Amino acid sequence: MSSVNTVGPRHAFAGHPLRFHHVEPCSHTSALQSLRNVLLSGLPRNDGWPSLDHKVLPFRMGRPLACSASSSELARPDPSPPQWRLGWLSPSYLREFPADLFVYLGSGLPEDSGTIYWAVDATHGGELRFGSGDGFNFVELRTLMVATDWGNDRSMGEMALAGHAKALLEWHESSRFCGQCGAQTVTIDVGRRKQCTSDSCKKKIYPRVDPVIVLLVVDKRNDRALLSRRSRFVPRMWSCLAGFIEPGESLEEAVRRETWEVTGIEVGQVIYHSSQPWPVGPGSMPCQLMVGFFAHAKSLDIQVNKEALEDAQWHSREEVEKALTFAEYEKAQRTAAEKVSQMCRGVEKGTSFSTDFNVESGELAPMFIPGPFAIAHHLISSWVNQGASI
């Protein structure tokens, strides 16, 4: 398997800006003990360890707390769409939750090098009053994804942090019992591991990641790419093929098998592009890892598996390039950012991903592709822009 050098925007949910590991003397144990002391007394530790500050990102029903950024934080001139920020809170707002429910995210943001960052599921908390139009609200991560300014490093970093936290918290919720013996599990290693409570088992459980292949099949001889539609897609949207990796299967084998199963096309050379964490998939899969590939077609006759796809067609480079330029992704981002701002101000009570992702202009396009937050977008745009090198 070869690879292609891709230089461009980094993927949504990638680029976690925190350091996972402390340097001594500030260990994970001391960080947790410091947090526990703050939760119990509201005061920092005073036992010879360095003073630690803590910030916590609460979630409710899988939604992170968000707020509108102040104008002083924005590096963009007016008029510009509103920017969102994560709603980091002091632990003093979350003292009803035991320390063992807090998940360690890391430390070392440039602006807060001495701060420890945590996440907690506050769904069942009765005392947390944020999120009712006071400048804060719990917002779907998919909505924040569309609302993110893809050219803003801080916004991209905060989205990656929110995705990382959501994946860990949902893994905690889905791993309350041991899959080997059925006993309850407990949190260890500041929320980054779990362990079975049965003395005869004691199995250690690690966060789950589900790998998914995302592939663009290319017909090099005729300068075409194979795009597909699923029944759940919005009208006129086309994208790459995708599928899960089977046990005992290599990535390259998965690419060839998936293409054959759903389109009847045989592929030869497989070229790695990039990968992307995806914490906004099905609830049963807390974090998928999207692994992107190009695949060169050896056969061209399409036989669509209707149980998997609605349709699959070859598209010329000109058709795909037009779809890329026609879609108004920046307009979709601005619209979603306005909605997040309204939600935080209590004006908009709810929003949906489908209404945020409205990338079409007044004239209906024959086709368009997913936005820049999806690895499929970068696969397709790389093929359009790099020409015969792929």
Side-chain angles (χ1 to χ4, degrees):
M1 176 178 65
S2 58
S3 63
V4 60
N5 182 25
T6 57
V7 179
R10 74 168 183 253
H11 291 307
F13 304 115
H16 189 319
L18 294 180
R19 292 195 299 266
F20 293 142
H21 301 290
H22 295 298
V23 293
E24 293 296 343
C26 182
S27 67
H28 290 158
T29 302
S30 67
L32 181 60
Q33 185 55 47
S34 174
L35 175 67
R36 183 175 286 115
N37 192 69
V38 173
L39 292 171
L40 290 174
S41 65
L43 300 173
R45 297 180 69 202
N46 185 20
D47 58 2
W49 290 93
S51 177
L52 299 178
D53 292 325
H54 301 273
K55 290 184 178 180
V56 183
L57 180 63
F59 281 70
R60 181 170 288 166
M61 301 295 291
R63 304 174 180 182
L65 187 66
C67 62
S68 293
S70 65
S71 58
S72 61
E73 291 182 281
L74 301 179
R76 300 179 62 175
D78 291 330
S80 60
Q83 300 283 323
W84 63 270
R85 295 285 180 260
L86 294 177
W88 297 103
L89 301 181
S90 164
S92 60
Y93 288 102
L94 301 152
R95 293 175 63 185
E96 63 180 297
F97 300 100
D100 289 344
L101 294 183
F102 288 71
V103 174
Y104 171 73
L105 300 179
S107 66
L109 282 179
E111 63 269 26
D112 290 308
S113 58
T115 301
I116 311 301
Y117 292 84
W118 307 83
V120 68
D121 185 353
T123 299
H124 303 295
E127 299 178 11
L128 185 61
R129 302 302 180 189
F130 287 92
S132 55
D134 46 16
F136 293 81
N137 211 331
F138 292 94
V139 183
E140 288 282 359
L141 189 54
R142 277 182 172 264
T143 300
L144 294 178
M145 174 184 75
V146 181
T148 298
D149 180 352
W150 305 299
N152 186 299
D153 287 342
R154 176 168 178 176
S155 296
M156 291 291 284
E158 292 222 329
M159 180 168 57
L161 266 175
H164 176 64
K166 180 177 185 291
L168 284 174
L169 290 174
E170 292 195 354
W171 166 72
H172 272 275
E173 178 64 21
S174 64
S175 60
R176 292 178 296 165
F177 299 94
C178 175
Q180 184 162 300
C181 72
Q184 285 190 319
T185 59
V186 293
T187 299
I188 60 175
D189 295 341
V190 289
R192 305 191 69 83
R193 307 285 186 273
K194 301 189 84 171
Q195 188 166 24
C196 177
T197 56
S198 170
D199 290 334
S200 62
C201 182
K202 292 294 185 182
K203 178 182 175 66
K204 285 190 177 182
I205 305 165
Y206 296 87
R208 170 177 170 173
V209 176
D210 294 280
V212 177
I213 52 164
V214 182
L215 56 133
L216 183 66
V217 180
V218 175
D219 171 12
K220 287 182 68 69
R221 176 177 297 179
N222 299 297
D223 200 26
R224 301 181 300 178
L226 181 69
L227 299 180
S228 65
R229 277 191 49 78
R230 293 180 183 270
S231 58
R232 60 180 173 82
F233 284 5
V234 296
R236 293 178 297 283
M237 188 174 84
W238 293 75
S239 188
C240 299
L241 300 177
F244 291 101
I245 299 170
E246 298 289 345
E249 186 175 53
S250 71
L251 294 169
E252 298 90 335
E253 289 169 337
V255 168
R256 296 185 177 102
R257 173 191 53 76
E258 183 68 23
T259 306
W260 175 258
E261 285 182 353
V262 299
T263 68
I265 289 176
E266 184 180 359
V267 299
Q269 184 180 14
V270 175
I271 304 172
Y272 172 75
H273 176 270
S274 60
S275 62
Q276 176 188 22
W278 192 250
V280 289
S284 60
M285 300 176 189
C287 190
Q288 297 170 315
L289 179 65
M290 305 299 189
V291 189
F293 296 94
F294 299 106
H296 292 172
K298 295 173 64 177
S299 63
L300 303 178
D301 185 29
I302 301 172
Q303 301 293 329
V304 178
N305 180 346
K306 291 294 186 177
E307 293 184 1
L309 300 176
E310 183 178 279
D311 199 3
Q313 295 180 13
W314 291 110
H315 294 271
S316 69
R317 190 182 301 272
E318 291 74 21
E319 290 174 329
V320 178
E321 184 175 16
K322 183 178 179 181
L324 277 170
T325 57
F326 193 93
E328 299 179 358
Y329 300 113
E330 184 175 349
K331 178 182 176 181
Q333 184 264 323
R334 294 174 70 96
T335 301
E338 291 286 354
K339 286 192 175 184
V340 172
S341 178
Q342 292 172 6
M343 292 175 68
C344 293
R345 299 197 310 269
V347 178
E348 181 81 24
K349 297 302 182 183
T351 189
S352 68
F353 175 62
S354 59
T355 56
D356 287 338
F357 186 34
N358 180 16
V359 299
E360 298 181 19
S361 66
E363 178 188 356
L364 292 180
M367 60 180 289
F368 67 95
I369 66 172
F373 41 77
I375 192 173
H377 178 98
H378 297 285
L379 279 165
I380 295 168
S381 61
S382 291
W383 174 71
V384 168
N385 295 325
Q386 294 190 32
S389 62
I390 294 177

